[in-house]
Amino acid sequence: MPKPMTPLLWALVCTLTILLASTVTVQAEPYRIHGQVLDPSGAPVSGATVTLTPEDQRYEKSSQTGEEGRFRFGELSHGNFRITASGRGYRAADYSLSLPEDANSEVQLTLQVDPSLTIYERIMVVGDPERVDEIPGSAHIIGPMELKRQKQGLDDIHRMLRQIPGVNIQEEEGYGLRPNIGMRGTGVDRSSKITLMEDGVLIAPAPYAAPSAYYFPTSGRMRSLEVRKGSSQIKYGPRTNGGVLNLVSSEIPQALSLDGKLGFGSDSAGQGHLNLGGTHGNFGWMVESYQVKTDGFKELDGGGNTGFYIGDYLAKLRFQTPLDARIFQQVEVKLGSTEQDSEETYLGLTDEDFAINPNRRYAASQIDRFDSNHRQYQARHFVAVPGGLDVTTVVYRNNFARNWFKLQSIGGNSISRVFGDPEAYAGELAIARGADSDPDMLKVRANNRQYYSQGIQSVLGLHRHLGATQHRFEFGFRYHEDQEARLQHEDGFQMSGGRMNRTSFGPPGSQSNRLSNAEARSFFFQDEIQWDRWTVIPGIRYENIDLTRTDFSKTDPSRTDPTRVRTNAVEVVIPGVGVNFDASQKVRFFGGVHKGFSPPGPGSNEFTEAEDSVNYEFGFGLGQPGFNTQLVAFYSYYGNLLGADTLAAGGQGTGDLYNGGEARVVGLEVSVSFDPAASSQSGISLPVQIAYTVTDGEFRNAFDSAFGPWGDVIVGDQLPYLPRHQFYASFGVRTDKWDAGLDTHWGSSMRTVAGQGAAPLLERTDAYAVLNLSAEYELSQRASLFANLQNVTNNRYIVARRPAGVRPALPRLFMAGIHFRLGRER
């Protein structure tokens, strides 16, 4: 029988039990913090994001304020904390507290109105980068810091966009001068199937009448890039099948400063970028210049320059009332000028010559030259009044003129025909390589075109609370006009001793003399509804478009009497809806459905149909400190796919449109970003970013087409110039002085002609893998040195077989230079 405990031992056990229980009780005691977010008038702010972070930043908790602007955090231990509140249209507010001392106090956070943030919501397609995960659809933004790292080499827009899944790219001359960008299988020819904007304004040469991007904004001077796909893009239009790309220009500095970049590199490349500006009270200004040049990497038979020069100039002036004015107003004027001279050609190589020297350029391209100038004029007015109402109005005008003097035909046969079957045209091929010819055997066309686009657009925003939901209404309209004017001729040349000599002059307009006009009226309505953890955005767009093509006699350069006038009127309603559900603070699900639309051009006839589709997407997102991922599945079914006869696509340049009938595109987009050192205290960051896209597109009907990339189509034929797989990865190391990294992109081969099964060698591009390196070292807070190396392994591969022959990728390119900044902190 066990002995009973002595009184002393019993007392000791009881004491220890009581102390232990007390200790457990103290440690388990949950602290709570509650409070309210208010606007400057003392009214509650619903839908604000409140974030709580401990002093050691081991974790982060977030909450959304309800209708009364209240928030609450529970299950907290003792320690020091920081609470941050932010809301759309407000500057963030912070509050520091300690537990348990402040456990029972009411926290009040007052947000100050910042109308400038609402302006960005109106001119940007993604808006606040911190809120991109709240968009019920696929949206991406490359912000200022990341874009600075992407500005390597000669600032090719293709390279910058490779980190965004769902973006399809076809390189051409290696520098991205005239980009070929598509989204979710739309087609890539001259980026004509996406909505292209700068600062929220249509920027293609003639967005409705002639959208092919022979002018593209200079990406090297941009502050950020935005891509939006899915149902939420219908707000922008007119092209809603794939997505919208918005390039955001430099903003006016808050303090007087001069930012600059000077770089030098391979092939006598040079680069200069200067940005000078400041804000003085309610007035701000900025002037900017961006210059880039190179002698080119291609080796012209007989010698000569194959590079380019771009000179870009921009000025902004801003006037506004004080930020705390009862009715805030701002006026910003933007003026821009861009000139480009490039020794560029449509003439490619045969496969045989590419295998010997992929950088060769034939003698017959020696006088090919592209000259252009672009002028933009823009005035924006913004007004915000009490009650959550604001109006943004933009008046704009863009003028663009270009003349591409380039080889059109040899011996009466177009260069696309010659290089489509070089064995059958051996004599013409020999002349292209420099063999002597008879007079006028080579025809060089002056592709002289002038464009304008102008209009006015306005968006009214209204924020309202209705019961337990909050609504952000947007009503918008745009009136737009644009025109393309062609006055083209051909001169005859003779090849003699490897040099081209002019032997005849063509009169102006003798090859093409016509006007293509468009007049469009569009309206949209959108309501962003937030309720609890749900966000729903229904929207509808209306487009009313009048298209006119006026042909004149090729002997009538003054255009006194039209020979033919074609008109086409298009009216369409484009609905869409997107849904986002926050399953938790870290996990969200989203999806949407919308009508896709792309207007036919003035080259349409009574048989031409508009391009239309129905598009679906469903996605999943996971976000937490140091790790973010997004996975999106998409499906598009085209009722009619349109093709256009352009020289860039290897056609005759007539602009005629072809109905492709039904087509289906399905795919998956994956993006992952994380930093394995995010939780360490080492001061080192190791950012990793991965993007992957798989796409499958095919025709769903059979037809015969005179459009070269399609040809005779049967059901199941794969769409041309659509890679099945695209992969991008980047790895970085960042310290207080160093910012270094490597990135790689890989793509599968693409069909160049519609078909099934394994593509024949002469009907596909090459699969490729490219590695790039970059590094920047901070000398001081005012200056840093940079160096980058593109295509480290000097990989040689075929990027296209159009317009005429094989096109090479950019070979190894080295650039180095200095970034500097003078003036006060921004």
Side-chain angles (χ1 to χ4, degrees), residues 39 110 137 173 194 230 293 304 306 317 321 341 352 361 411 446 519 537 540 547 576 636 659 670 712 729-730 776 797:
D39 68 14
T110 301
E173 79 293 304
I194 64 173
K293 57 86 63 176
T306 62
L317 296 174
T321 58
D341 298 322
E352 179 184 11
R361 248 182 72 171
E519 182 180 353
I537 305 183
I540 191 167
L547 302 165
S636 300
N659 294 320
V670 181
D712 298 335
S730 67
E776 184 166 0
Y797 56 97

Side-chain angles (χ1 to χ4, degrees), residues 307-366:
F308 70 90
Y309 164 78
I310 294 176
D312 191 299
Y313 305 89
L314 186 72
K316 289 185 178 182
L317 296 174
R318 184 183 66 211
F319 305 88
Q320 68 181 44
T321 58
L323 288 174
D324 58 356
R326 183 175 181 274
I327 298 178
F328 175 83
Q329 297 190 70
Q330 184 186 98
V331 175
E332 183 173 291
V333 177
K334 173 184 172 185
L335 305 173
S337 173
T338 306
E339 296 181 358
Q340 181 186 139
D341 298 322
S342 56
E343 313 289 337
E344 196 47 65
T345 181
Y346 272 4
L347 193 61
L349 299 171
T350 65
D351 284 80
E352 179 184 11
D353 288 333
F354 180 89
I356 298 171
N357 179 9
N359 297 334
R360 180 184 179 183
R361 248 182 72 171
Y362 294 137
S365 68
Q366 61 190 259

Side-chain angles (χ1 to χ4, degrees), residues 760-783:
L761 178 65
L762 300 183
E763 292 184 5
R764 63 174 173 83
T765 64
D766 290 338
Y768 66 88
V770 174
L771 176 67
N772 307 303
L773 298 175
S774 64
E776 184 166 0
Y777 177 73
E778 184 179 287
L779 298 172
S780 68
Q781 292 184 346
R782 303 294 184 184

Side-chain angles (χ1 to χ4, degrees), residues 692-703:
Y692 171 71
T693 306
V694 57
T695 312
D696 180 72
E698 64 179 31
F699 288 100
R700 300 305 300 161
N701 53 211
F703 60 93

Side-chain angles (χ1 to χ4, degrees), residues 64-120:
Q64 295 281 328
T65 60
E67 186 177 359
E68 298 299 322
R70 306 200 68 84
F71 64 90
R72 179 176 178 273
F73 294 105
E75 304 299 327
L76 301 175
S77 59
H78 68 281
N80 298 321
F81 297 84
R82 175 177 291 274
I83 297 178
T84 302
S86 61
R88 287 170 64 173
Y90 297 96
R91 290 195 296 271
D94 294 331
Y95 187 89
S96 297
L97 53 82
S98 298
L99 295 178
E101 291 83 356
D102 299 318
N104 297 321
S105 60
E106 168 84 2
V107 176
Q108 282 196 348
L109 292 157
T110 301
L111 300 180
Q112 299 299 319
V113 176
D114 190 344
S116 63
L117 297 177
T118 304
I119 296 175
Y120 288 126

Side-chain angles (χ1 to χ4, degrees), residues 729-789:
S730 67
F731 310 89
V733 178
R734 298 170 191 165
T735 69
D736 58 344
K737 292 289 186 181
W738 282 96
D739 188 345
L742 65 86
D743 67 80
T744 182
H745 57 270
W746 173 83
S748 58
S749 64
M750 298 182 289
R751 279 187 165 273
T752 59
V753 179
Q756 299 185 30
L761 178 65
L762 300 183
E763 292 184 5
R764 63 174 173 83
T765 64
D766 290 338
Y768 66 88
V770 174
L771 176 67
N772 307 303
L773 298 175
S774 64
E776 184 166 0
Y777 177 73
E778 184 179 287
L779 298 172
S780 68
Q781 292 184 346
R782 303 294 184 184
S784 61
L785 299 176
F786 71 88
N788 52 74
L789 186 64

